[in-house]
Amino acid sequence: LALARGGGATAAEAAVGVSTGLSVTLRLGEVETLEYQRDRSLGVTVYAGQRKGSASTANLAPAAVEETVRKALSIASFTAADEY
């Protein structure tokens, strides 16, 4: 959020999600496949006055987070102002 403010956003929000899961496939009563998954994501929405931009990433490394914020700011700069 500080990166967004530093980039000119008048407001910003971020959402981080982490999910895990296990998937099992059986065939003729025997385990055929067993899969474990772990997903994580970051979504950033910035507001520059009455303009809005959003971007997301699954890479939570600092450089990727910075790039995601820059992309959201860039998108906001190309959107039309919304008086509402």
Side-chain angles (χ1 to χ4, degrees):
L1 298 176
L3 290 170
R5 287 279 185 164
T10 54
E13 60 187 9
V16 176
V18 176
S19 67
T20 58
L22 185 64
S23 175
V24 179
T25 303
L26 300 176
R27 183 178 205 167
L28 301 173
E30 299 290 327
V31 174
E32 185 173 55
T33 60
L34 179 63
E35 297 176 340
Y36 172 80
Q37 59 88 16
R38 180 173 176 233
D39 293 321
R40 57 188 185 168
S41 63
L42 166 69
V44 177
T45 301
V46 299
Y47 301 88
Q50 295 175 319
R51 298 170 183 243
K52 175 182 169 183
S54 297
S56 62
T57 184
N59 183 348
L60 301 183
V65 171
E66 291 175 15
E67 180 67 14
T68 303
V69 171
R70 281 194 298 272
K71 295 296 183 183
L73 288 164
S74 176
I75 291 167
S77 73
F78 289 103
T79 60
D82 183 354
E83 63 182 277
Y84 301 101

